[in-house]
Amino acid sequence: MLKVKPERFLDDLHHLRSFGAAGVGKGVVRPAYSPPDIAARQWLAERMAEAGLRPQFDPVGSLFGLVDGPSLLLGSHSDSQPEGGWLDGALGVIAGLEIARAARETGGPPVSVVSFQDEEGRFGVTTGSAIWSGNLALEVADRQTDRMGVSFAEARAAMAHLAGKFVDPSQFSGFMELHIEQGPWLSEAKEAVGIVTDIVGIRDMRITFDGEQNHAGTTPMHRRRDAFQGLARFNALINERFRNVVSPQTVWTIGHVALHPDAHSIVPGRATFSMQWRDGDTERLSRMETVIRDAAEEVASAAGLGLSFGDMLGLEPVPMDARLRAALCESADTVAPGRWRQMQSGALHDATNVARLMPAAMLFVPSINGISHAFAEDTDEADLVTGLMVLAGAVGRGSV
Ligand code: HGY
Ligand code: MN
Ligand code: MN
């Protein structure tokens, strides 16, 4: 077993939270390319160098800490949601750093580390690793915009002074990512670890209804072309039509809505919103897309609204690599006997993209009350250390 140092790991994890610390509890606001995100990546690069790793930023700001020659890659991401917690992504990066450091100190196997950029999708879905893996073309990524209309190309320019070349993935023999579960199952069962069997797929696009902006006091109801009313009808229609398509695992979310001009006394002239859906079955994801496009077209035509769809971004469902998964299961059985399970991931992760390039696997630790993507996200420190130990055990087995 590699001799990792749990206190050093926890100290680094708490230090990383100081970049963008916000809200009550252990909240973080560190969206991709924000000043705290860039500062955190520069601090991580220093910690990597201190650990004897060679830091390298790629053209989109993903940060690698490399050893020379072939190695295993560990990591996750260090950007956060607009309101996030201290562990989503950060846990996997700092665990990777601690294991790479311990491996160098104690003559363990060669381990490199990565913190991918924009996993949280300010500009889409797992942007940095999607580009690195070839799942997303850089030109397509560059034209994506965030909620405020800033383009990916503009945002990544803020890291241009740090950027090097894309890292050659052929030097890595495999990728493992430790993450919080972000769901309730481990916490409810009082279990310590989940070994991921597969990660669901996702589709994500922006939809816009264009109506007629007008006075909210003088425009009779029958003359309005109210873009928000179009969105409301669309939402009711897809909820109704999905009934015959979805499974209990399927989820869909309209998480961002922008009304123009966004004022109490103006009939909205435009409604732009995010439409995201996730499932473990590609066929079902496609059937849902048909429902969405048909419903939007029907609503637009019935209400006299303009309609446009943005680029549809997506990732396919992926199974985790059997060999790496078996190493994680063996390690979990040693570190936390009787307190672990195998489970599907309903959240997306960089491992989905990296699986295109090399064998990839993941493990989870519990999220207290199943909460994340919120300031209240947290995990008992004993569980964080258990996750570190299980990952270190799998790396140290030699079979990976
Ligand atoms: O949205 C996701 O599943 C991930 O946390 N970015
Ligand atoms: Mn994450
Ligand atoms: Mn997340």
Side-chain angles (χ1 to χ4, degrees):
M1 167 79 87
L2 286 168
K3 287 213 168 35
V4 290
K5 296 187 174 162
E7 274 174 28
R8 183 171 61 179
F9 155 73
L10 290 172
D11 283 351
D12 277 349
L13 203 45
H14 282 284
H15 191 89
L16 181 49
R17 191 211 157 213
S18 70
F19 298 95
V24 291
K26 296 175 184 161
V28 165
V29 175
R30 199 168 57 225
Y33 307 106
S34 62
D37 169 60
I38 296 172
R41 285 171 192 275
Q42 289 180 297
W43 172 77
L44 277 169
E46 284 164 23
R47 289 303 267 161
M48 288 170 172
E50 284 162 20
L53 305 168
R54 184 166 44 81
Q56 183 174 332
F57 288 93
D58 79 4
V60 302
S62 293
L63 168 64
F64 291 75
L66 299 167
V67 296
D68 291 330
S71 63
L72 189 64
L73 182 65
L74 304 180
S76 189
H77 61 95
S78 53
D79 60 299
S80 83
Q81 287 286 334
E83 285 192 6
W86 70 304
L87 298 171
D88 182 352
L91 172 61
V93 173
I94 299 297
L97 173 63
E98 177 54 31
I99 291 170
R101 192 159 48 191
R104 288 184 75 76
E105 287 166 353
T106 60
V111 176
S112 296
V113 187
V114 62
S115 170
F116 288 110
Q117 184 52 292
D118 196 29
E119 192 277 347
E120 297 292 14
R122 178 179 164 194
F123 296 96
V125 180
T126 63
T127 318
S129 59
I131 293 166
W132 187 53
S133 70
N135 255 338
L136 177 65
L138 188 55
E139 314 83 77
V140 176
D142 271 341
R143 67 172 185 245
Q144 302 307 312
T145 52
D146 72 359
R147 298 182 302 167
M148 307 306 290
V150 177
S151 73
F152 183 71
E154 288 162 342
R156 74 185 175 93
M159 293 189 71
H161 60 296
L162 299 169
K165 292 195 166 94
F166 281 109
V167 168
D168 178 0
S170 70
Q171 67 197 287
F172 306 119
S173 57
F175 174 70
M176 291 201 284
E177 180 173 3
L178 171 61
H179 207 279
I180 50 169
E181 181 202 333
Q182 310 183 278
W185 308 115
L186 295 174
S187 168
E188 276 185 5
K190 300 196 177 357
E191 290 174 346
V193 172
I195 308 300
V196 177
T197 52
D198 58 306
I199 303 175
V200 301
I202 190 170
R203 302 287 183 268
D204 191 296
M205 70 162 124
R206 219 169 264 174
I207 301 177
T208 300
F209 286 120
D210 279 297
E212 185 175 65
Q213 183 178 329
N214 208 339
H215 194 292
T218 58
T219 315
M221 298 310 283
H222 73 278
R223 290 190 59 126
R224 292 186 181 199
R225 289 196 293 121
D226 180 332
F228 172 75
Q229 293 300 328
L231 162 55
R233 266 187 233 125
F234 165 80
N235 181 57
L237 207 51
I238 60 167
N239 286 346
E240 176 68 26
R241 292 183 180 174
F242 278 164
R243 274 199 215 154
N244 295 325
V245 178
V246 299
S247 82
Q249 278 75 42
T250 316
V251 290
W252 62 98
T253 309
I254 296 175
H256 166 68
V257 173
L259 298 180
H260 183 86
D262 199 20
H264 288 221
S265 295
I266 303 179
V267 176
R270 188 165 66 241
T272 298
F273 57 99
S274 60
M275 181 73 236
Q276 183 190 91
W277 59 109
R278 309 186 188 207
D279 193 82
D281 177 23
T282 302
E283 173 64 24
R284 183 175 287 115
L285 290 170
S286 299
R287 297 220 301 279
M288 291 175 78
E289 181 186 350
T290 304
V291 169
I292 287 163
R293 288 188 189 273
D294 288 352
E297 270 156 25
E298 282 173 40
V299 165
S301 124
L305 302 173
L307 169 65
S308 52
F309 297 102
D311 288 329
M312 192 175 74
L313 302 175
L315 297 171
E316 301 311 314
V318 287
M320 297 290 88
D321 177 73
R323 185 175 54 87
L324 293 183
R325 199 172 124 197
L328 287 168
C329 288
E330 279 172 34
S331 180
D333 220 25
T334 307
V335 174
R339 294 195 301 131
W340 65 279
R341 69 169 68 186
Q342 300 199 57
M343 62 189 294
Q344 186 181 55
S345 174
L348 264 294
H349 297 288
D350 294 306
T352 287
N353 295 310
V354 182
R356 276 175 73 115
L357 301 171
M358 65 192 80
M362 287 197 75
L363 70 162
F364 289 157
V365 291
S367 294
I368 295 172
N369 295 325
I371 294 175
S372 84
H373 287 189
F375 289 152
E377 167 194 293
D378 206 0
T379 298
D380 284 338
E381 293 198 353
D383 289 333
L384 298 177
V385 172
T386 301
L388 173 73
M389 293 301 189
V390 172
L391 182 56
V395 171
R397 290 183 117 68
S399 57
V400 299

